[in-house]
Amino acid sequence: MKLKPEKWTHNHSHRLYHMSMGVCFGFISLAVVGVMATVWMNAGAEDVNITALVEGVNPGPIIGGGGGPAPVPTPNPTINMVAEPQGQIAQRPINTPEGLRAADVFPGRPSYSGTTSVGGGLIFISVSGTSSFNSTAQADATGKWLWQSPVELIEGTYSITASVYDSYDLTRSGSTKRYFIVEFPKEPVPVDPGQPGQPGQPGGPGTQPGTGTGTGKPSTPGGPSIPTLPPVEVPAGPSQFGIFISIVDDYRYVNAGEKVIARLMLVSSTGQQVVAQDIDYKIISPAGKVILETTDTVSFSKQSQFLKTFTTAPETPAGEYTIQVSSRHNGITSQAQAKFNLLANPASAGTVQPQGPVVIWSLLILLWLLFVVLLIIAYRQVMHHHEEIKNNPTY
């Protein structure tokens, strides 16, 4: 029985419609799974496994004492401090309790460097202003030192004092003080020139001759107002508490899956024992994500030194990681940081990888195969109907 041309055309169109819908479905499924795979793998790149432990001591309080080599006297101890040029954008006058001073302006985290006559000296950094905290640095054997704020500061005015101590005996050697402003770059605001004769425009009402302010008063000469350093309440007492952290040289660059060892030193400038002091650690990934938080409780007199070991998982992504350490003592938070680099681990190729990517790529391959099969079927159907039309021209 032969089909009528209109019946055959309807069936042919119906079949082509279903085949085109199948091809579209294959395309859409392939795109959805591809997007899901990309998102899943990008999210998994931040999943790391880093554990921490204290090397060479028992769990619980870490007891440390003074002692060490005899102090070495430093004749005419001195220290100086200058703003690092990286990120520094200007200098500006500032009102301080001591009178008008010059302040360094930073668009981000401030950074200072300098020299001291105390080789290997311990340098305590005290920042006061819109927010307050303590930090530390240590001079090298020649007395050179470098410090950058371990935290992002909010906009405002600050003072910074650097005090240097001899290593081990903590004899105060000298101090220096500067001022700085944190000010983030702002997008320029477009100004509508307006129409002549409008309020605030030249020739408009409320405008004094020779000005364009529209305030009824001449503009203030001398430019913008001078920032004022706000008063900050600092806990009484001359005691200094600081945390020093550095990565042991052999562990600054390691492969993923290996240990990272940091050397820590806790220092108090008084002879009184510090009891049950919490030391908090954070490890920050290259993307700025906190991937580990842990705490030690320590007790010590004058100073305590110990090693902290961080163990990374083999699949930890390569990059530069930051160890932030902080502790709050007598109302002031002391903060310091150190960085280490994880390299791409060539041995990880032989390790068992997570099953997630295997499943995703298997689904992608299956969808590609389905798509190819649909194309072959569609091609054969079209060629079959072309042959029927060729052999039956009356259709």
Side-chain angles (χ1 to χ4, degrees):
M1 178 179 178
K2 296 183 179 180
L3 295 175
K4 294 181 179 180
E6 61 272 11
K7 182 70 172 178
W8 186 92
T9 302
H10 173 76
N11 291 341
H12 181 67
S13 301
H14 192 66
R15 289 176 182 176
L16 289 178
Y17 169 78
H18 281 287
M19 285 186 292
S20 63
M21 290 299 294
V23 173
C24 292
F25 173 76
F27 266 123
I28 294 172
S29 300
L30 190 64
V32 170
V33 174
V35 170
M36 290 176 59
T38 302
V39 172
W40 188 92
M41 285 184 286
N42 286 340
E46 283 296 326
D47 293 337
V48 296
N49 178 20
I50 295 181
T51 59
L53 57 91
V54 178
E55 185 85 355
V57 299
N58 296 323
I62 305 168
I63 308 299
V72 178
T74 304
N76 301 320
T78 60
I79 182 173
N80 60 45
M81 176 169 53
V82 295
E84 282 291 289
Q86 294 87 351
Q88 187 182 2
I89 57 175
Q91 268 203 339
R92 190 176 301 166
I94 182 175
N95 281 322
T96 72
E98 300 89 351
L100 198 63
R101 304 277 180 170
D104 306 305
V105 182
F106 293 93
R109 293 162 56 189
S111 180
Y112 283 89
S113 64
T115 58
T116 174
S117 58
V118 184
L122 306 179
I123 300 170
F124 289 77
I125 306 292
S126 178
V127 175
S128 298
T130 308
S131 59
S132 300
F133 67 97
N134 287 342
S135 190
T136 54
Q138 186 165 12
D140 62 17
T142 64
K144 294 180 180 179
W145 62 274
L146 172 67
W147 174 86
Q148 184 177 31
S149 174
V151 294
E152 294 285 346
L153 300 182
I154 60 176
E155 288 192 327
T157 53
Y158 298 83
S159 67
I160 177 171
T161 302
S163 304
V164 64
Y165 288 77
D166 279 334
S167 300
Y168 304 110
D169 71 334
L170 302 180
T171 299
R172 184 160 187 152
S173 296
S175 65
T176 184
K177 186 176 184 179
R178 290 182 69 92
Y179 301 91
F180 66 88
I181 299 171
V182 173
E183 184 178 275
F184 300 112
K186 295 179 175 59
E187 294 287 340
V189 179
V191 178
D192 184 4
Q195 298 296 327
Q198 297 297 321
Q201 298 300 321
T207 304
Q208 294 290 333
T211 73
T213 62
T215 60
K217 299 179 182 179
S219 59
T220 303
S225 60
I226 298 175
T228 300
L229 186 68
V232 177
E233 294 184 6
V234 179
S239 64
Q240 289 269 23
F241 176 84
I243 305 172
F244 296 82
I245 181 173
S246 61
I247 306 298
V248 177
D249 289 342
D250 292 342
Y251 297 90
R252 295 181 187 274
Y253 296 87
V254 298
N255 292 321
E258 297 178 346
K259 294 181 178 180
V260 176
I261 300 180
R263 180 183 293 107
L264 285 105
M265 179 166 56
L266 311 177
V267 177
S268 174
S269 62
T270 68
Q272 297 178 352
Q273 187 177 28
V274 178
V275 179
Q277 182 73 30
D278 286 340
I279 310 297
D280 300 318
Y281 306 87
K282 289 181 181 179
I283 292 187
I284 313 296
S285 73
K289 180 180 178 181
V290 177
I291 57 176
L292 173 71
E293 292 186 80
T294 185
T295 300
D296 289 330
T297 300
V298 305
S299 298
F300 67 97
S301 296
K302 291 190 70 175
Q303 65 176 288
S304 175
Q305 299 187 53
F306 58 92
L307 299 178
K308 185 80 173 177
T309 299
F310 301 90
T311 304
T312 64
E315 65 272 14
T316 306
E320 185 180 65
Y321 290 77
T322 302
I323 303 176
Q324 291 185 349
V325 56
S326 64
S327 184
R328 191 166 181 82
H329 183 73
N330 286 344
I332 293 291
T333 300
S334 298
Q335 297 174 311
Q337 68 178 23
K339 297 180 182 292
F340 65 91
N341 288 267
L342 287 184
L343 308 176
N345 189 355
S348 62
T351 60
V352 178
Q353 299 296 325
Q355 295 301 313
V358 175
V359 174
I360 295 296
W361 284 112
S362 298
L363 288 175
L364 285 173
I365 293 173
L366 289 175
L367 281 174
W368 270 112
L369 292 175
L370 176 62
F371 178 68
V372 172
V373 170
L374 287 173
L375 285 179
I376 293 174
I377 293 175
Y379 175 78
R380 295 188 61 171
Q381 288 289 333
V382 170
M383 294 303 297
H384 174 71
H385 288 298
H386 283 177
E387 286 294 327
E388 286 186 348
I389 293 173
K390 182 178 178 180
N391 298 329
N392 300 275
T394 58
Y395 291 168

